[in-house]
mmCIF file of all heavy atoms in Angstrom:
data_model
loop_
_atom_site.group_PDB
_atom_site.id
_atom_site.type_symbol
_atom_site.label_atom_id
_atom_site.label_comp_id
_atom_site.label_asym_id
_atom_site.label_seq_id
_atom_site.Cartn_x
_atom_site.Cartn_y
_atom_site.Cartn_z
ATOM 1 N N SER Q 297 -11.905 -11.584 23.995
ATOM 2 C CA SER Q 297 -10.711 -11.706 23.440
ATOM 3 C C SER Q 297 -10.777 -12.375 22.007
ATOM 4 O O SER Q 297 -11.738 -13.054 21.757
ATOM 5 C CB SER Q 297 -9.707 -12.620 24.213
ATOM 6 O OG SER Q 297 -10.360 -13.963 24.420
ATOM 7 N N GLY Q 298 -9.859 -12.109 21.130
ATOM 8 C CA GLY Q 298 -9.892 -12.646 19.836
ATOM 9 C C GLY Q 298 -9.350 -11.662 18.817
ATOM 10 O O GLY Q 298 -8.595 -10.711 19.163
ATOM 11 N N THR Q 299 -9.747 -11.838 17.529
ATOM 12 C CA THR Q 299 -9.376 -10.938 16.474
ATOM 13 C C THR Q 299 -10.462 -10.750 15.451
ATOM 14 O O THR Q 299 -11.465 -11.407 15.489
ATOM 15 C CB THR Q 299 -8.123 -11.505 15.683
ATOM 16 O OG1 THR Q 299 -8.384 -12.737 15.198
ATOM 17 C CG2 THR Q 299 -6.947 -11.610 16.612
ATOM 18 N N THR Q 316 -13.014 -13.795 15.278
ATOM 19 C CA THR Q 316 -12.252 -14.993 15.226
ATOM 20 C C THR Q 316 -11.777 -15.290 16.719
ATOM 21 O O THR Q 316 -11.258 -14.373 17.375
ATOM 22 C CB THR Q 316 -10.986 -14.816 14.384
ATOM 23 O OG1 THR Q 316 -11.452 -14.480 13.008
ATOM 24 C CG2 THR Q 316 -10.265 -16.131 14.217
ATOM 25 N N GLY Q 317 -11.812 -16.483 17.121
ATOM 26 C CA GLY Q 317 -11.443 -16.872 18.476
ATOM 27 C C GLY Q 317 -9.925 -16.773 18.715
ATOM 28 O O GLY Q 317 -9.078 -16.645 17.685
ATOM 29 N N SER Q 318 -9.513 -16.832 19.901
ATOM 30 C CA SER Q 318 -8.068 -16.609 20.214
ATOM 31 C C SER Q 318 -7.236 -17.686 19.552
ATOM 32 O O SER Q 318 -6.068 -17.494 19.348
ATOM 33 C CB SER Q 318 -7.890 -16.637 21.701
ATOM 34 O OG SER Q 318 -8.612 -15.553 22.293
ATOM 35 N N GLY Q 319 -7.807 -18.842 19.334
ATOM 36 C CA GLY Q 319 -7.016 -19.938 18.705
ATOM 37 C C GLY Q 319 -6.688 -19.788 17.264
ATOM 38 O O GLY Q 319 -5.984 -20.395 16.715
ATOM 39 N N GLY Q 320 -7.386 -18.882 16.648
ATOM 40 C CA GLY Q 320 -7.208 -18.450 15.218
ATOM 41 C C GLY Q 320 -7.776 -19.352 14.169
ATOM 42 O O GLY Q 320 -7.540 -19.260 13.030
ATOM 43 N N SER Q 321 -8.704 -20.322 14.563
ATOM 44 C CA SER Q 321 -9.349 -21.186 13.665
ATOM 45 C C SER Q 321 -10.799 -21.442 13.762
ATOM 46 O O SER Q 321 -11.384 -22.352 13.198
ATOM 47 C CB SER Q 321 -8.553 -22.569 13.676
ATOM 48 O OG SER Q 321 -8.687 -23.180 14.952
ATOM 49 N N SER Q 322 -11.354 -20.650 14.634
ATOM 50 C CA SER Q 322 -12.896 -20.784 14.952
ATOM 51 C C SER Q 322 -13.476 -19.526 14.942
ATOM 52 O O SER Q 322 -12.873 -18.435 15.445
ATOM 53 C CB SER Q 322 -13.113 -21.450 16.321
ATOM 54 O OG SER Q 322 -12.490 -22.755 16.252
ATOM 55 N N TYR Q 324 -16.782 -16.950 16.376
ATOM 56 C CA TYR Q 324 -17.774 -16.888 17.421
ATOM 57 C C TYR Q 324 -18.809 -15.819 17.246
ATOM 58 O O TYR Q 324 -18.501 -14.873 16.469
ATOM 59 C CB TYR Q 324 -16.959 -16.632 18.791
ATOM 60 C CG TYR Q 324 -16.096 -17.727 19.241
ATOM 61 C CD1 TYR Q 324 -14.946 -18.027 18.619
ATOM 62 C CD2 TYR Q 324 -16.545 -18.492 20.347
ATOM 63 C CE1 TYR Q 324 -14.156 -19.095 19.043
ATOM 64 C CE2 TYR Q 324 -15.813 -19.604 20.782
ATOM 65 C CZ TYR Q 324 -14.488 -19.898 20.101
ATOM 66 O OH TYR Q 324 -13.795 -20.974 20.502
ATOM 67 N N GLY Q 353 -13.317 -21.504 11.013
ATOM 68 C CA GLY Q 353 -13.025 -20.489 10.096
ATOM 69 C C GLY Q 353 -12.369 -19.259 10.714
ATOM 70 O O GLY Q 353 -11.987 -19.246 11.851
ATOM 71 N N VAL Q 354 -12.128 -18.239 9.890
ATOM 72 C CA VAL Q 354 -11.442 -16.978 10.344
ATOM 73 C C VAL Q 354 -12.168 -15.849 9.610
ATOM 74 O O VAL Q 354 -12.907 -15.968 8.710
ATOM 75 C CB VAL Q 354 -9.898 -16.969 9.966
ATOM 76 C CG1 VAL Q 354 -9.271 -18.118 10.755
ATOM 77 C CG2 VAL Q 354 -9.740 -17.235 8.496
#
Side-chain angles (χ1 to χ4, degrees):
S297 59
T299 60
T316 304
S318 298
S321 61
S322 301
Y324 291 77
V354 295

